[in-house]
Every structure is written in structure tokens, then in C-alpha cells.
Amino acid sequence: MNNKLEKIFAPEIDSGANFIIEELEKNGYEGFVVGGCVRDTIMGRKPNDWDIATNAKPDEVMRIFRKTIPTGIEHGTVTVMINKVAYELTTYRIDGEYVDMRHPEKVEFSKNIVDDLSRRDFTINAMAYNKRIGLVDKFGGMDDIENKLIRCVGNPNKRFNEDALRMIRAVRFSAKLGFKIEEKTFQSILKNASNIKKISIERINKELEETIKFDPESLFLLNKMDISEYLFGVSLEKNNLKIAKKVDGFLREYNLYKKNEKELINALKRAFILEKLDVCNLKNILRKLRYSRKDIDMTSKLHSILKMNIYDHITDENMSTKERKVMIKYILKDTGDLLLAKYAIYSRFIEKNSNPTVCFSEFNDIIESGECFSTSQLDLNGKDIIENDIAKGAAVGILLNAMLEYVILNPKENEKEKLLAFAKNYKIM
């Protein structure tokens, strides 16, 4: 093994993974860290987890290690617990024919690590490493990392017919790593793209979300694959994807990026990506893609703010404080959530590439002073309206909304007696 690779791996390989490989070797077997953790280590990235491949069979793995979980014995996988951390150990295997574009009809265990690597999706994920042997790279993964290419292992048509989701995964890796999809691999994707319709939406959703997280602009490849309309109901607009890509940079530029707000960040990106849809179709598409109710609610509310022309001028530095506060209160009313309202405000500034800090003092003043932007903040409630025999039934809700509109424009009027007078004089159509 060359000194350069030794320097990359020796200090970086996880201690628990090292321990497992050493224990396997003590018992006459071999083990390698494989796949994404090898790729990420070579690229100087921190792996999320460490997968291990071994020539030991599942029953032999369970005999060697004290704490094990038989997570997928039929496919050769056993989870080993080391210091409360889970490590997946999978026996080298050769897959049989794939019958459902996901699962092989049969699995045959092997003694050769190269057999195991040859069944993997892309060359950059088909490398293995241990201290004794070094790096096993029979399919050119290192070269493809160097050249920033996503390339299938072996015949791309075979790989994509084993699991059609790999086509979306290629887009996701392109987004995550900033790599180009190699030409033969991409031509095979174009040829086999219709098979995406045979894959469960839940699996597709996971890959889409990762792509949106890393680089929404990469989704334009789905237009070329002719599957955007199947997934989103429309062909994706390049300009919308470019704006969605700007979100992370914008938030960091103004010190607004928060790791614990990733759900909101992705919701904002989705709102930009699908801005051309109307709200009803947006919700239907998100339901079809199996998004949670929370994700649908966040995305649709942000999308609604983007679609409303009345908010176009919130970025105007010459707008008066009173006008801007009114606009902010309407956004708070329409989103019903402080954080969501902030992201709705950010959306308008991202579109215009403007500094959002012009809104911060007004936003904070509204919250700190308790200015009203919700019917729950009105000094007169539905019970008061009924007890004063002003309205009943559905008319109560109409009247509360009318009062809210009035108070948003006239914050000093949020007093019970003033609102009672307003309510008594208000004519419900």
C-alpha cells in the first residue's frame, strides 16, 4: 500500500471498525471497511457510518462477537454492537437475478472481496480497505474520484435493471459530491429511465430529499431523463432550481443558517423548485411523493407567500416602518408560526438577492411588543361576541377575522371596548 493512502486511512478509520476487523482476523477470517465510508475517507469527508464486509458467514460472525443482531441473515447481514455503536457486517456475496428491480432472487456467499465489490452500484462505492491488505480498488474508484465522475461498476444497463433507483442515486451523488455522471452511465440512465415508475415512491423520496439538500440544481437532470412530470407533475424550471440552490449560501452569508432548522431549509427549497404549481396541485404532488403532513404544511405555506404579489415590495429599503410591519404581520398571520414566517420573509429576499436585515428590527418589535397577528391575540374572543349577542355560528369566525384585519392595520385598537364597538358596527355580508 502506498504511503499516501496509509496517511489517509490510518488516523481516520473508526476504532470500532478496526476492532471488528482485528477480531475477524484473529479468528482466521478477513474483513474490510467498504463502500461510502471508504469513498468519504479518501475525499477527506467524515463518514456517517462504517460498513464492513467479511468472508465470515453470519453464524460465524455471531459466534465471534458477543452482542449481535440478525438484521438480514438471508442476505448475509449481521449488526454488531461495539460500545453502543451499531456496525453492519455483511458476508461477501454474489447476487442472483433481480426479479423486482430491488431484491436478488437468490444470494450466494463468496470468499472473495472482489466478488462482493463487483455487485455494487458505482465505482466510487466499490472500494474496500483494511490495514493488512490496504485498498482494494478493482474498478477504478480512485481514478473516478480524481476525475469527479459517477460511473457504474461494469455494465450500467445491468446495474440499473437490478435496481432502477440507482438512476436517482446517480443524480443524488452528483449533487452531493459535485461529480459529473460519466457519459455511458448517463446514456444508460436515459435508456432505462422509464423503469423509475416501478420503484416505490418512498424510496424515491429519500433520494430526492438528499438531492434537494445538497444541490437542487442537479434535479434538472430529471428533465433530461423525462421523469420530472411523472414525479412532480411539471417539467422543472431551471431558474427555480438555481434560486433553490442559493438558499444555503444566502442563509450563511447573513448568519441565518441553523443546523436544527434543516426541515425548514428543505421546505423552502421545495417551495422554490415547485413555485410554478398552484397550491392545490403542490399539495397533491407532495402527498403523492409521500411527504409528511408537517412537510406539506411548511412547504405549501412558504409556497403561498412566494406566489402572492402583495409581498413583492417587502424587500424595498425605502418602505416605511409601518408598511413593512403590516406586511410582516400578514406573513405571520398566513404562516401561523414564527420560524416559518422568518423563512417566508427570507424567500422574498433570496429571490431579489437582497439583504434581509432590513426586516429584523420590525419583526422583533412586533413580537416583543405583542402586536396582534392572530385571532388568538385579539382582546375580544368568540365567547365575548356570543355573550354580547353580536353574532353566532359561522358568523363568529367571520367577525374575528374582520377584527384581526382591522387590528393588523391599527394595532392600538386591540382593546376589548374598542373591538366590541367595531363588532357591533360590522355588517356581515
Side-chain angles (χ1 to χ4, degrees):
M1 179 178 181
N2 68 47
N3 290 332
K4 182 181 177 182
L5 285 176
E6 186 61 50
K7 287 178 182 176
I8 290 171
F9 280 98
E12 296 294 340
I13 194 166
D14 177 82
S15 60
N18 253 336
F19 171 79
I20 289 169
I21 291 170
E22 287 170 359
E23 287 300 302
L24 288 168
E25 290 177 347
K26 284 178 188 176
N27 284 272
Y29 302 102
E30 67 180 16
F32 293 84
V33 288
V34 293
C37 63
V38 179
R39 177 200 69 230
D40 288 344
T41 303
I42 290 170
M43 294 182 67
R45 294 166 174 253
K46 185 177 180 180
N48 291 325
D49 46 41
W50 294 82
D51 292 333
I52 297 164
T54 178
N55 58 351
K57 291 182 179 177
D59 60 324
E60 294 163 339
V61 170
M62 289 189 288
R63 177 178 55 79
I64 295 168
F65 297 99
R66 191 162 59 89
K67 292 184 178 180
T68 62
I69 304 166
T71 43
I73 284 185
E74 68 278 11
H75 294 111
T77 302
V78 173
T79 297
V80 175
M81 301 299 298
I82 305 292
N83 297 325
K84 297 182 180 179
V85 178
Y87 297 85
E88 280 197 355
L89 271 69
T90 303
T91 306
Y92 306 156
R93 72 184 207 217
I94 301 168
D95 291 343
E97 292 296 317
Y98 281 69
V99 292
D100 61 356
M101 290 203 167
R102 184 176 184 186
H103 301 107
E105 194 172 28
K106 64 176 182 176
V107 169
E108 181 183 333
F109 294 141
S110 170
K111 294 292 183 183
N112 189 336
I113 181 63
V114 177
D115 286 339
D116 191 74
L117 299 176
S118 69
R119 68 180 179 82
R120 295 173 184 264
D121 52 7
F122 306 112
T123 59
I124 59 172
N125 299 330
M127 294 180 286
Y129 171 85
N130 68 24
K131 284 184 178 180
R132 184 173 58 85
I133 294 174
L135 185 71
V136 179
D137 178 21
K138 296 293 184 183
F139 304 100
M142 281 286 286
D143 287 342
D144 285 338
I145 288 174
E146 185 72 24
N147 295 314
K148 298 187 175 182
L149 288 175
I150 308 295
R151 183 196 309 271
C152 279
V153 174
N155 184 336
N157 289 326
K158 182 178 181 183
R159 293 285 88 86
F160 294 138
N161 278 284
E162 288 170 344
D163 186 352
L165 187 69
R166 287 171 171 169
M167 292 182 276
I168 305 289
R169 278 169 61 82
V171 175
R172 191 250 292 179
F173 281 121
S174 176
K176 179 179 180 180
L177 304 176
F179 287 12
K180 181 182 177 183
I181 301 175
E182 180 267 338
E183 185 60 26
K184 285 184 180 178
T185 299
F186 190 65
Q187 288 304 317
S188 179
I189 289 174
L190 296 181
K191 178 181 177 181
N192 294 286
S194 62
N195 285 333
I196 288 295
K197 296 176 182 180
K198 299 176 184 178
I199 302 300
S200 74
I201 290 294
E202 288 83 358
R203 294 182 71 212
I204 292 172
N205 176 282
K206 185 177 178 182
E207 301 297 330
L208 290 176
E209 277 298 279
E210 287 291 296
T211 305
I212 291 169
K213 172 184 171 183
F214 291 113
D215 179 10
E217 205 169 1
S218 295
L219 291 174
F220 195 71
L221 291 170
L222 302 181
N223 285 359
K224 295 182 179 181
M225 293 162 62
D226 202 26
I227 60 170
S228 291
E229 292 195 17
Y230 165 67
L231 294 173
F232 305 111
V234 290
S235 180
L236 299 177
E237 295 283 347
K238 200 158 195 173
N239 188 56
N240 291 119
L241 297 175
K242 282 183 177 179
I243 295 173
K245 185 176 181 176
K246 287 164 57 177
V247 169
D248 291 329
F250 173 89
L251 295 175
R252 287 192 170 97
E253 181 180 353
Y254 295 105
N255 296 315
L256 302 171
Y257 188 90
K258 304 281 193 306
K259 283 186 177 180
N260 63 345
E261 293 173 8
K262 287 181 180 178
E263 282 186 336
L264 279 161
I265 293 170
N266 256 26
L268 180 53
K269 290 177 183 179
R270 287 193 295 269
F272 278 125
I273 290 164
L274 299 173
E275 186 178 357
K276 70 188 281 187
L277 291 174
D278 61 47
V279 174
C280 182
N281 281 328
L282 173 76
K283 288 182 177 180
N284 287 336
I285 289 296
L286 294 178
R287 289 189 196 101
K288 171 192 166 184
L289 292 173
R290 303 291 192 271
Y291 280 96
S292 68
R293 287 183 182 179
K294 182 181 178 182
D295 282 333
I296 293 170
D297 183 63
M298 290 190 298
T299 307
S300 59
K301 284 179 177 176
L302 292 170
H303 178 270
S304 293
I305 301 299
L306 280 174
K307 299 283 277 188
M308 291 184 187
N309 295 333
I310 59 169
Y311 298 124
D312 284 350
H313 301 296
I314 195 169
T315 59
D316 186 354
E317 292 183 6
N318 298 316
M319 177 180 281
S320 70
T321 297
K322 181 179 179 181
E323 286 176 309
R324 184 172 282 114
K325 285 179 79 172
V326 167
M327 204 167 281
I328 291 170
K329 283 187 281 186
Y330 274 116
I331 290 174
L332 283 160
K333 169 182 170 284
D334 290 340
T335 56
D337 179 89
L338 295 185
L339 261 181
L340 200 56
K342 283 187 177 182
Y343 277 83
I345 292 167
Y346 299 160
S347 72
R348 305 315 299 247
F349 285 88
I350 292 168
E351 277 191 314
K352 300 284 181 69
N353 206 23
S354 301
N355 187 339
T357 57
V358 296
C359 279
F360 291 174
S361 60
E362 287 96 338
F363 187 98
N364 292 335
D365 186 54
I366 289 166
I367 305 306
E368 289 167 11
S369 65
E371 285 193 35
C372 181
F373 54 82
S374 165
T375 54
S376 64
Q377 295 173 296
L378 289 168
D379 206 29
L380 189 74
N381 59 35
K383 186 179 178 183
D384 296 324
I385 291 170
I386 294 167
E387 286 179 351
N388 282 273
D389 201 27
I390 298 170
K392 57 184 178 181
V396 174
I398 294 170
L399 189 49
L400 285 170
N401 284 323
M403 285 193 294
L404 178 59
E405 295 281 333
Y406 176 65
V407 168
I408 284 175
L409 296 171
N410 306 279
K412 291 181 180 178
E413 298 298 298
N414 191 22
E415 296 176 7
K416 191 167 187 176
E417 292 306 317
K418 291 179 179 180
L419 292 177
L420 270 173
F422 174 90
K424 287 174 181 177
N425 290 319
Y426 185 80
K427 289 184 169 54
I428 298 173
M429 303 300 289

